[in-house]
Amino acid sequence: AAELEYESVLCVKPDVNVYRIPPRTSNRGYRASDWKLDHPDWTGRLRVTSKGKTAYIKLEDKVSGELFAQAPIDQYPGIAVETVTDSSRYFVIRIQDGTGRSAFIGIGFTDRGDAFDFNVSLQDHFKWVKQETEISKESQEADTRPKLDLGFKEGQTIKLNIGNMTTKKGGAAKPRVSGSGGLSLLPPPPGGKIAVPPIPPPSSTAIANHVTPPPVLKSTNVSSADILLDLDAPASASKAPASATTDLWGDFSTASSAVPNQAPQQSNWVQF
């Protein structure tokens, strides 16, 4: 796994100063004012890289890129990188060589923004390391937990009850009630009324083409049923219209009743 890890660059700063610092005599933090800030011991380029979960602070030559010193960092903040108590542009780092020897040196940036970028790059890397550690821990805990078996056992069945889908065996569906003209009518809303469409008046062409049955003459031998059917019979035949072209509706008030043996005359009034 270590061979598959690759090195990524987190931060590069072209100007950094290196100082030899006196040994710390007490538990209080380092102070940059104790160093010879006007006379740095070495000046070069700083590069922060990461390989896996470990970060590296590399001090390199500006021109050739030759490595001057390297400080591996396992955690931040920690003993490998410390800030000074009197400035935000200076840090104390622990450099190591290949033989296991280590030493503490001071580094400083001329620009305060470079010091801020250096600090943030280390914070972001170890924040990522913390998240990866938590994720791996949760995955290991999930593997050790007993898994919930949601599969069907042998011979086990389930029954689904879908609403409005169950019908009686052999039952027929109810026919839909439709109104006149084949249009289905919806029930009226509560508290409302259905507006009945108006009946169009009959046209003159339909009246002219309508055939009216001849009127029934009154007589003394007519039954009570004939009387009910002949309520609108004409009273006098002498005042009947001569032709159908003068009055399409006819005369409802007069008809011939004086001549009982006279043949019934056809009238043009319409029966509703």
Side-chain angles (χ1 to χ4, degrees), residues 189-238:
K193 297 181 179 180
I194 295 179
V196 181
I199 300 175
S203 61
S204 59
T205 306
I207 295 174
N209 296 331
H210 186 74
V211 179
T212 306
V216 181
L217 298 179
K218 295 181 180 181
S219 61
T220 56
N221 297 327
V222 178
S223 63
S224 59
D226 295 333
I227 293 175
L228 294 176
L229 296 175
D230 196 26
L231 293 177
D232 296 332
S236 175
S238 60

Side-chain angles (χ1 to χ4, degrees), residues 22-68:
R24 185 167 52 181
T25 58
S26 62
N27 292 332
R28 66 184 180 92
Y30 292 97
R31 292 175 58 88
S33 59
D34 298 336
W35 310 342
K36 297 177 181 180
L37 301 179
D38 297 336
H39 301 86
D41 296 296
W42 185 84
T43 301
R45 179 182 66 187
L46 180 140
R47 193 158 58 100
V48 181
T49 63
S50 65
K51 189 174 183 180
K53 296 182 179 182
T54 305
Y56 297 89
I57 299 176
K58 296 183 178 183
L59 302 175
E60 301 171 344
D61 187 80
K62 290 183 179 181
V63 180
S64 63
E66 182 182 357
L67 182 64
F68 173 73

